[in-house]
Amino acid sequence: MSIQFSDDGLIVHISNKFISYVMEAVDGKYLVLRYFGKAVRRYHGAGEPFYYKRGYTTEHPCSIPNVSFDDFPFEYPARGYGDYRIPAFAVTQDSGIEFVKLMFQGFRVLEEKPELTGLPAAFAKKGETETLEVTCEDGIAGIRVRLYYTIFEDRGVIARSQKVENIGNQALKLQNVQSFSLELPAKEYDVLSLYGTHAGEGNVSRSLLSHGVWRIESVRGSSSPQQQPFFALMDPHSTEYSGEVYGFQLIYSGNFLAQAEKDQFGNVRAQIGIHPDTFCWELNPGEAFQAPEAILNYSSEGLNGMSQNFHWLYQYHLMPSGFTHRERPVLLNSWEAMYYDVSLGKLEEQAEQAKELGAELFVLDDGWFRADNSSRTSMGDWECNQQKLPGGIAAAAELIHSKGMQFGLWFEPEAVCRDSNLYREHPDWALQIPGYEITEGRHEYILDLSQKKVREYVISVLDAYLEGGQIDYVKWDMNRPFTEVNSLALPKERKGEISHRYILGLYEILDTITKRYPKMLLEGCSSGGARFDPGMLHYAAQNWSSDNTDAFDRTRIQAGFSLMYPPIAMGAHVSITPNHQTGRTVSLNTRYQVARLFNMGYELDLSKCSSEEKSEIARQIEEYKKERGWLQRASFYRNEAPNENYAIWSSVREDQEECLAMIFQKLYRPLCSRGRFRLAGLNPEYDYVECGSKKSYGGDELMETGISIPLAKEDFYVFMFHFIREK
């Protein structure tokens, strides 16, 4: 990797062996992007656009003849001086005028990646990255923006962020601070994103980017199941294995806006950052504001190439480093066995059977603190119901530990019920607008995490349960979107800051707890995948992908999330059949195989399982334990299926000596050609034995010729192939 400058110091080329990113300070003042894509050795000015005189435009002092600012590839654009496309930055000055004109000031190379105060971000050891700091200023407004570009040594990714400083004498209102803006040359692009709903997360949407503005967003207070804070622009002919893909993701857990504009001339501008509709930040003289980090990801090897970049970055440079290689325990979650009706007797019954079957972690879900068996009471008090669990959580933990298993506990620290002691004592701790009734969600209000005393309370509650070391795992849930977004503790001039201050408060709590208890495994959850995002992954080493545990639906959900997240970050449970969410009946083997390549657990009532089912579960757990060591560090691929009746995945060991491949047959269709599937990521020089058939194949043969897809006379059937290098 390197950061090189032209002789006059106005062109900078950021590169490694995979990518190049080139910027120029035209006339020493206009910062523009010249190239982002596959690595080039040196940049000599290739690809600079030609301009001709146009009507209905503006004129500017610039050495480039006939330049139009309305299609100039500005690196960090604002409106007001001739660029009418989507802006990345907007400021209201003390006069009430919304105007800013940033001019280039200089480049500076940093040996280490700077930390982002109060925000999660990718991290790296010295020597693994280089960072370029670019300074731009508007001297009249008294504002300085520092743009950061961090390139990693081994992959096609660049981390982007902005820091805004008030260097003047007037108070400023930040209205829009996007985490990056990227200009791409005029051509056809497909735009890809993930949409969904509760229990239906991770659906892939792909369409041709047309003229105008394409956008996705969340204004729900969290990143949301409706839209993932991710999108990709790609060659329309790109596949899982081939073609150019530009992937973008925001390391943030709150309201976001992602958009791409195809302008009047066919050029494309892409952006992602905090949603400006729910953001306004007062910046007084001497103060600074840090925008969240975004990841720019370039692949010339299709969507799987993009995914490999994200997987590597998030596993080794984002999630808690103590869990990068740590094997995840096989868990049994109590929710679908008990729901709210928790008792010590039920715990003992389930735990004893879980131990016999080989489970390593018992998770006590919601219900343990409720005054009754519903979601209407007690949220926020976090006092164990001694009638349900005599001796409290300490007794429950001791019981589970006596079985030789770890103990996990469910919390929803951000919520409070109206029927709770906490709300009766501190009604001002909830988000609310005076004079208006607070809207409930799951019979809950939202605690105002922008208030320091609220954060201190949440931390004290968690400390009380965690400091004794009796809890090995915490499931952190959050079950409703935001309404009445107002803090009683903020003055009127700062009301626009509450959504972002809430997320900063959440990160402060998570940072405090994970640093105090670094060995505790934290799993993020928000009604399933409503806050499955890189911001949470920085603190929670794994996330619950969806409340929908139906194996058929999980093939789509897990495949969608695998575009960005490595399998080690995804919880996948084997649940009861017929499934509680969909009513669909799927075999126990299929449920297991769909979860097998991820963080596998169980979520069912073991007392209702037959002896045959228990024997099969014991066999599954034993098999999974033998493989998880390499599976959780493996390269995961979505293999191209011949038609929509199949979902095909494979995991390849780091040394390429072993591979597990899964074919999910959705429906029994004997009259259709089933075709072949080709593997990916194998060593073409190796020969492999398929453990089931004992047949030998060359790695190149498996990747180029492929394997014929078999046929099973049932719906929702899984074929599993296990390839091991032939010695």
Side-chain angles (χ1 to χ4, degrees):
M1 60 184 175
S2 67
I3 299 177
Q4 299 175 338
F5 297 93
S6 60
D7 291 341
D8 62 5
L10 297 180
I11 297 177
V12 61
H13 180 190
I14 309 169
S15 66
N16 59 23
K17 62 183 179 181
F18 299 102
I19 54 172
S20 288
Y21 196 104
V22 182
M23 288 178 286
E24 180 180 1
V26 175
D27 298 340
K29 55 183 179 180
Y30 304 118
L31 186 67
V32 298
L33 179 67
R34 290 305 187 197
Y35 175 73
F36 176 47
K38 194 171 184 177
V40 297
R41 289 180 290 112
R42 291 184 63 83
Y43 177 75
H44 298 89
E48 292 185 10
F50 296 104
Y51 294 94
Y52 61 92
K53 187 170 180 61
R54 297 175 175 139
Y56 199 67
T57 186
T58 53
E59 299 172 353
H60 300 273
C62 183
S63 61
I64 300 176
N66 300 316
V67 68
S68 168
F69 275 14
D70 208 17
D71 71 338
F72 211 33
F74 286 109
E75 185 63 16
Y76 203 59
R79 277 196 182 132
Y81 53 93
D83 184 350
Y84 301 94
R85 295 162 292 170
I86 52 175
F89 192 56
V91 175
T92 299
Q93 300 186 34
D94 196 42
S95 62
I97 296 172
E98 185 179 312
F99 186 84
V100 65
K101 192 173 183 179
L102 296 174
M103 293 294 171
F104 171 78
Q105 298 296 312
F107 297 119
R108 185 165 71 109
V109 176
L110 308 178
E111 291 186 4
E112 295 188 67
K113 184 179 187 296
E115 293 185 0
L116 274 61
T117 303
L119 287 165
F123 55 81
K125 297 177 182 177
K126 188 173 183 179
E128 293 178 333
T129 62
E130 281 190 313
T131 297
L132 176 72
E133 180 188 77
V134 186
T135 302
C136 298
E137 289 184 7
D138 180 336
I140 296 175
I143 197 160
R144 176 185 295 140
V145 179
R146 299 185 189 273
L147 313 175
Y148 293 96
Y149 305 74
T150 296
I151 189 165
F152 290 77
E153 183 176 22
D154 296 324
R155 299 285 170 149
V157 293
I158 289 178
R160 287 290 323 276
S161 67
Q162 274 68 245
K163 186 176 182 179
V164 185
E165 301 170 352
N166 187 334
I167 58 173
N169 298 315
Q170 62 170 323
L172 302 170
K173 291 280 190 181
L174 303 181
Q175 306 286 356
N176 185 10
V177 186
Q178 294 298 287
S179 290
F180 81 89
S181 187
L182 179 73
E183 307 284 323
L184 293 175
K187 66 183 290 283
E188 294 297 303
Y189 295 92
D190 277 359
V191 59
L192 182 147
S193 63
L194 293 183
Y195 70 94
T197 184
H198 171 250
E201 301 89 342
N203 305 279
V204 176
S205 171
R206 179 173 177 173
S207 60
L208 186 68
L209 182 68
S210 60
H211 280 273
V213 178
W214 170 95
R215 61 187 273 171
I216 57 173
E217 62 188 354
S218 173
V219 290
R220 299 168 187 267
S222 67
S223 49
S224 89
Q226 281 71 29
Q227 297 288 348
Q228 177 72 200
F230 152 86
F231 72 106
L233 295 170
M234 52 200 297
D235 187 286
H237 301 291
S238 293
T239 67
E240 285 286 7
Y241 297 140
S242 65
E244 284 195 312
V245 179
Y246 300 86
F248 316 111
Q249 190 161 28
L250 187 65
I251 303 179
Y252 188 64
S253 305
N255 295 337
F256 74 91
L257 173 64
Q259 53 186 345
E261 179 176 9
K262 187 174 184 178
D263 70 17
Q264 57 193 322
F265 306 112
N267 303 305
V268 171
R269 174 177 288 176
Q271 297 173 352
I272 197 168
I274 294 176
H275 203 306
D277 287 0
T278 59
F279 172 83
C280 179
W281 194 272
E282 181 170 286
L283 197 68
N284 292 311
E287 293 181 343
F289 175 82
Q290 176 65 61
E293 187 166 83
I295 302 301
L296 280 63
N297 181 343
Y298 172 79
S299 164
S300 61
E301 298 178 344
L303 286 168
N304 266 308
M306 178 196 73
S307 296
Q308 295 303 315
N309 286 341
F310 276 133
H311 292 185
W312 171 85
L313 181 72
Y314 292 166
Q315 183 163 354
Y316 298 103
H317 295 279
L318 183 66
M319 71 168 55
S321 55
F323 291 90
T324 297
H325 292 295
R326 182 169 152 186
E327 292 184 2
R328 304 294 196 265
V330 178
L331 65 83
L332 176 68
N333 185 288
S334 72
W335 180 242
E336 291 191 12
M338 305 180 200
Y339 290 103
Y340 299 107
D341 191 12
V342 172
S343 72
L344 201 60
K346 290 181 180 179
L347 257 67
E348 184 164 19
E349 179 186 33
Q350 295 289 322
E352 183 60 35
Q353 294 181 70
K355 173 192 174 184
E356 292 175 0
L357 299 181
E360 300 159 307
L361 167 64
F362 185 92
V363 178
L364 177 57
D365 212 286
D366 196 353
W368 57 271
F369 60 94
R370 302 283 188 179
D372 57 15
N373 291 331
S374 78
S375 60
R376 295 180 179 274
T377 68
S378 312
M379 177 63 72
D381 294 341
W382 300 113
E383 296 178 3
C384 183
N385 185 330
Q386 296 277 338
Q387 291 182 329
K388 293 184 176 186
L389 299 175
I393 292 302
E398 183 179 357
L399 170 65
I400 301 303
H401 287 150
S402 71
K403 307 291 184 183
M405 290 189 294
Q406 296 177 324
F407 178 66
L409 194 59
W410 179 94
F411 286 94
E412 191 177 353
E414 301 163 65
V416 60
C417 282
R418 180 171 54 186
D419 185 7
S420 68
N421 293 328
L422 181 66
Y423 184 71
R424 284 186 282 270
E425 294 172 8
H426 301 285
D428 57 317
W429 283 12
L431 294 181
Q432 59 190 282
I433 298 176
Y436 293 87
E437 183 179 354
I438 307 176
T439 303
E440 289 187 329
R442 199 176 180 248
H443 312 297
E444 297 169 359
Y445 302 151
I446 300 171
L447 287 174
D448 178 8
L449 299 190
S450 72
Q451 296 190 42
K452 183 178 180 180
K453 55 189 176 184
V454 176
R455 298 195 298 273
E456 290 174 343
Y457 170 76
V458 172
I459 291 171
S460 70
V461 166
L462 294 168
D463 270 338
Y465 284 100
L466 297 175
E467 61 187 359
Q470 59 190 1
I471 297 173
D472 308 288
Y473 160 108
V474 164
K475 182 177 179 182
W476 184 295
D477 210 343
M478 196 279 191
N479 281 303
R480 57 154 297 176
F482 285 20
T483 54
E484 292 83 42
V485 183
N486 176 60
S487 171
L488 297 182
L490 285 177
K492 64 180 182 179
E493 62 271 15
R494 291 194 175 273
K495 294 298 186 183
E497 301 176 10
I498 177 60
S499 292
H500 183 55
R501 286 189 178 275
Y502 181 98
I503 298 299
L504 292 177
L506 170 65
Y507 289 152
E508 180 183 313
I509 295 169
L510 290 169
D511 187 64
T512 300
I513 292 300
T514 53
K515 284 180 178 176
R516 286 182 185 175
Y517 310 102
K519 295 182 179 180
M520 179 200 68
L521 176 59
L522 180 66
E523 179 162 5
C525 177
S526 181
S527 288
R531 203 163 60 187
F532 193 159
D533 58 59
M536 289 300 294
L537 189 59
H538 184 71
Y539 307 100
Q542 62 192 54
N543 278 270
W544 183 225
S545 310
S546 177
D547 283 346
N548 185 347
T549 55
D550 181 340
F552 177 85
D553 286 347
R554 274 302 186 112
T555 61
R556 171 185 45 77
I557 293 168
Q558 290 164 200
F561 281 137
S562 77
L563 283 165
M564 300 84 60
Y565 304 111
I568 196 171
M570 277 190 258
H573 293 178
V574 177
S575 63
I576 199 67
T577 195
N579 183 267
H580 283 199
Q581 288 77 40
T582 67
R584 185 179 285 116
T585 297
V586 179
S587 73
L588 179 56
N589 178 64
T590 293
R591 285 175 271 153
Y592 162 62
Q593 301 295 0
V594 170
R596 182 178 177 183
L597 303 183
F598 302 86
N599 284 333
M600 191 193 71
Y602 291 81
E603 190 161 341
L604 41 74
D605 188 342
L606 291 176
S607 68
K608 295 181 180 179
C609 293
S610 67
S611 58
E612 292 80 8
E613 288 173 324
K614 291 177 183 177
S615 295
E616 174 59 15
I617 290 172
R619 187 202 65 78
Q620 292 171 356
I621 293 175
E622 182 181 15
E623 181 178 57
Y624 176 75
K625 288 179 180 178
K626 291 177 181 177
E627 298 166 346
R628 65 179 168 187
W630 69 266
L631 276 176
Q632 293 180 354
R633 298 190 300 272
S635 296
F636 179 86
Y637 296 92
R638 297 170 305 279
N639 302 87
E640 291 181 333
N643 57 63
E644 64 181 12
N645 197 42
Y646 300 98
I648 307 177
W649 307 331
S650 61
S651 290
V652 179
R653 209 165 84 176
E654 286 176 300
D655 59 10
Q656 298 178 300
E657 301 231 339
E658 194 167 1
C659 170
L660 275 175
M662 182 207 78
I663 302 177
F664 183 92
Q665 175 185 284
K666 299 177 183 178
L667 299 175
Y668 170 52
R669 290 179 175 172
L671 302 181
C672 297
S673 174
R674 296 178 299 282
R676 301 173 183 173
F677 80 96
R678 295 184 299 164
L679 281 93
L682 301 177
N683 190 319
E685 303 298 323
Y686 291 173
D687 289 327
Y688 295 86
V689 176
E690 202 287 301
C691 296
S693 65
K694 308 300 181 186
K695 291 183 178 180
S696 297
Y697 304 92
D700 54 349
E701 182 182 11
L702 291 169
M703 292 189 291
E704 301 301 331
T705 304
I707 295 289
S708 294
I709 295 176
L711 177 67
K713 293 185 177 182
E714 63 180 88
D715 298 338
F716 319 132
Y717 188 86
V718 167
F719 302 95
M720 186 64 71
F721 295 86
H722 190 179
F723 298 95
I724 298 179
R725 182 187 177 188
E726 190 171 28
K727 301 295 185 179

